[in-house]
């Protein structure tokens, strides 16, 4: 009888242990379902990507000699910009297309003004979205290489993209904006036909922003109605002084 009770006790412990193991497995599978491996988190941003659509998670590509910052001089009519300290950045919004999503950041003072701008526009029925904010030199290198390969030369690519180390996006004070009602017009000259652009053209300066590359700009860069820079602080104004005052 005593032996039987001992066997029953051991059997009960075995059953309870099996149930606990099963629960752990189920919880683990649930975590994988709700937090898939393609969500990447770090101290500054959360990026949800797909392997096919994310151009940023590549190995670092060494800059060519012509692309290195030399003597703080313009290169292909683009001005050099240092990559800002990440501690100065905060998230201003997210941008998504299909199954690709990323969170965008700006310098804190520019971010606060932009969020106020976006909020005010929404009260007037205008849906302004953030497409791209801060960008590292490494990320710009990938975009630059793609554009050079597409257009055949650095000279042609420079009309549409800045070389790495020469993008206003490195500063944390530049942002690409779009109209949430017309995603097909993101990063196209036709963005100027949207209500979002018409609102920005009238009100952006009230929040300290100006268009970096208007038609016939002095740098000879293609017209970019979506690209705006914050200039309403001593630091930001100093960073963009050359771009504002130099004519080629």
């Amino acid at each position: 009888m005593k032996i039987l009770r001992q066997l029953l006790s051991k059997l009960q412990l075995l059953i309870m242990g099996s149930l606990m193991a099963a629960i752990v497995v189920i919880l683990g599978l649930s975590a994988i379902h709700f937090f898939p491996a393609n969500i990447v988190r770090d101290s500054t941003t959360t990026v949800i990507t797909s392997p096919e659509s994310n151009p940023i998670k590549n190995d670092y590509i060494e800059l060519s000699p012509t692309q290195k910052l030399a003597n703080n001089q313009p290169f292909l009519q683009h001005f050099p910009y240092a990559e800002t300290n990440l501690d100065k950045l905060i998230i201003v919004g997210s941008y998504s297309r299909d199954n690709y999503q990323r969170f965008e950041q700006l310098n804190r003072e520019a971010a606060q003004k932009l969020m106020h701008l976006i909020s005010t526009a929404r009260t007037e029925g205008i849906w302004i979205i953030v497409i791209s904010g801060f960008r590292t030199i490494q990320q710009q290198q990938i975009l630059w290489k793609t554009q050079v390969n597409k257009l055949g030369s650095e000279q042609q690519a420079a009309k549409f993209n800045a070389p790495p180390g020469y993008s206003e996006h490195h500063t944390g004070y530049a942002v690409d904006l779009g109209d949430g009602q017309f995603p097909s017009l993101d990063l196209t000259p036709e963005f100027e036909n949207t209500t979002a652009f018409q609102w920005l053209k009238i009100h952006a300066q009230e929040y300290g922003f100006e268009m970096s590359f208007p038609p016939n700009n002095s740098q000879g860069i293609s017209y970019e109605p979506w690209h705006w820079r914050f200039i309403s602080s001593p630091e930001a104004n100093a960073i963009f002084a050359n771009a504002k005052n130099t004519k080629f």
Side-chain angles (χ1 to χ4, degrees), residues 3-238:
I3 295 175
L4 182 59
R5 284 198 299 268
Q6 289 176 343
L7 289 175
L8 289 173
S9 178
K10 290 180 179 180
L11 181 60
Q12 185 178 23
L13 289 174
L14 179 62
I15 293 172
M16 290 179 64
S18 299
L19 286 174
M20 290 297 295
I23 291 171
V24 169
V25 171
I26 292 170
L27 290 175
L29 292 173
S30 298
I32 293 172
H33 176 75
F34 288 105
F35 301 102
N38 65 343
I39 298 182
V40 181
R41 290 178 172 82
D42 59 34
S43 59
T44 58
T45 185
T46 301
V47 182
I48 302 174
T49 66
S50 68
E52 298 79 15
S53 62
N54 182 17
I56 292 172
K57 296 295 180 181
N58 291 322
D59 293 334
Y60 179 72
I61 303 171
E62 178 64 25
L63 305 184
S64 71
T66 58
Q67 295 163 359
K68 292 183 182 294
L69 306 183
N71 301 320
N72 203 37
Q73 296 299 311
F75 173 56
L76 296 175
Q77 300 187 200
H78 288 272
F79 294 95
Y81 296 104
E83 191 175 298
T84 192
N85 190 322
L86 297 182
D87 292 339
K88 296 182 178 181
L89 302 173
I90 63 173
I91 293 175
V92 290
S94 67
Y95 179 73
S96 61
R97 294 293 296 269
D98 300 324
N99 63 339
Y100 170 61
Q101 182 183 19
R102 60 175 184 258
F103 284 80
E104 295 301 320
Q105 303 173 91
L106 284 182
N107 180 284
R108 186 175 301 275
E109 57 185 349
Q112 291 171 344
K113 289 291 187 180
L114 180 64
M115 287 188 282
H116 187 194
L117 178 156
I118 291 173
S119 177
T120 303
R122 287 298 295 270
T123 64
E124 300 178 23
I126 309 298
W127 187 9
I128 296 173
I129 63 169
V130 176
I131 297 175
S132 182
F134 167 74
R135 198 178 298 153
T136 66
I137 291 176
Q138 179 182 350
Q139 291 168 337
Q140 191 68 25
Q141 168 69 14
I142 296 168
L143 296 176
W144 174 249
K145 182 180 179 182
T146 300
Q147 193 73 300
V148 171
N149 290 339
K150 177 182 177 181
L151 298 179
S153 71
E154 291 184 335
Q155 288 72 22
Q156 286 299 314
K159 296 178 181 179
F160 304 96
N161 282 90
Y166 295 81
S167 173
E168 293 186 348
H169 287 279
H170 300 329
T171 69
Y173 285 112
V175 62
D176 295 335
L177 300 173
D179 190 316
Q181 296 182 0
F182 300 98
S184 63
L185 302 183
D186 290 351
L187 306 180
T188 70
E190 288 73 29
F191 171 62
E192 69 173 3
N193 299 320
T194 65
T195 55
F197 175 77
Q198 296 303 321
W199 192 95
L200 286 167
K201 191 164 63 171
I202 297 171
H203 298 288
Q205 61 183 351
E206 300 170 16
Y207 300 87
F209 289 88
E210 69 175 11
M211 200 189 317
S212 296
F213 306 112
N216 304 313
N217 60 82
S218 61
Q219 290 181 241
I221 309 304
S222 64
Y223 173 43
E224 296 188 356
W226 61 85
H227 184 104
W228 299 77
R229 61 190 175 205
F230 181 77
I231 57 169
S232 189
S233 75
E235 181 180 358
N237 198 47

